[in-house]
């Protein structure tokens, strides 16, 4: 995808941030599928895997349509990946300070990182 979108740039390094998932009652094979995916990623040249942590906590959440006379909330497991945002930002800055990159592309589905590329570029200029 990056080769197609940025053909004038050479890809020197790919940093992939993830956390190892645990089996869940409804999906006991999830860790097996993840390991298969991670093994495939390791075949990509210049790719390094950075493992972060998943935290799991019990939280009470409101129901969209509570039953009449029933509870308005339910207790659920909330899982969050922790550490990726800070480590990603740190490595972006380190690579730039070491002059190991002239440009960086951040691909993520984390809305916390929506402004990161613009801010990183402004900081480096």
């Amino acid at each position: 995808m990056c080769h197609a979108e940025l053909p004038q740039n050479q890809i020197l390094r790919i940093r992939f941030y993830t956390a190892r998932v645990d089996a869940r009652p409804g999906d006991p094979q999830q860790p097996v599928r993840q390991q298969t995916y991670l093994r495939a990623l390791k075949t990509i040249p210049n790719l390094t895997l950075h493992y972060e942590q998943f935290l799991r906590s019990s939280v009470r959440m409101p129901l969209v349509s509570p039953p009449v006379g029933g509870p308005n909330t339910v207790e659920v497991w909330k899982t969050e990946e922790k550490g990726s945002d800070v480590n990603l930002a740190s490595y972006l800055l380190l690579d730039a300070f070491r002059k190991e990159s002239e440009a960086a592309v951040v691909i993520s589905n984390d809305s916390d990182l929506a402004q990161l590329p613009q801010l990183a570029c402004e900081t480096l200029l």
Side-chain angles (χ1 to χ4, degrees):
M1 178 177 77
C2 288
H3 282 297
E5 293 296 320
L6 303 164
Q8 71 280 7
N9 294 89
Q10 179 185 6
I11 297 174
L12 301 176
R13 179 179 297 130
I14 301 169
R15 297 185 188 274
F16 188 88
Y17 296 86
T18 191
R20 295 187 193 278
V21 297
D22 292 327
R24 295 182 182 195
D27 192 359
Q29 292 300 308
Q30 189 175 13
V32 174
R33 291 193 311 277
Q34 184 191 41
Q35 285 305 312
T36 302
Y37 179 65
L38 295 176
R39 276 195 309 275
L41 285 177
K42 288 179 183 179
T43 67
I44 298 172
N46 302 325
L47 182 132
T48 55
L49 291 170
H50 299 263
Y51 292 101
E52 310 308 334
Q53 298 292 320
F54 261 122
L55 297 182
R56 184 172 79 161
S57 60
S58 171
V59 297
R60 188 155 288 281
M61 302 286 291
L63 289 166
V64 173
S65 301
V68 176
N72 292 330
T73 61
V74 64
E75 190 173 9
V76 299
W77 286 116
K78 180 180 179 185
T79 56
E80 296 179 273
E81 187 176 340
K82 290 296 188 183
S84 295
D85 298 2
V86 171
N87 288 332
L88 169 69
S90 297
Y91 275 112
L92 281 171
L93 290 171
L94 280 172
D95 289 346
F97 292 146
R98 293 175 181 158
K99 302 208 182 308
E100 294 178 1
S101 68
E102 292 180 10
V105 176
V106 176
I107 301 170
S108 176
N109 68 346
D110 187 342
S111 62
D112 290 347
L113 300 176
Q115 292 297 314
L116 182 61
Q118 180 182 352
L119 291 175
C121 289
E122 289 172 1
T123 302
L124 297 176
L125 297 175

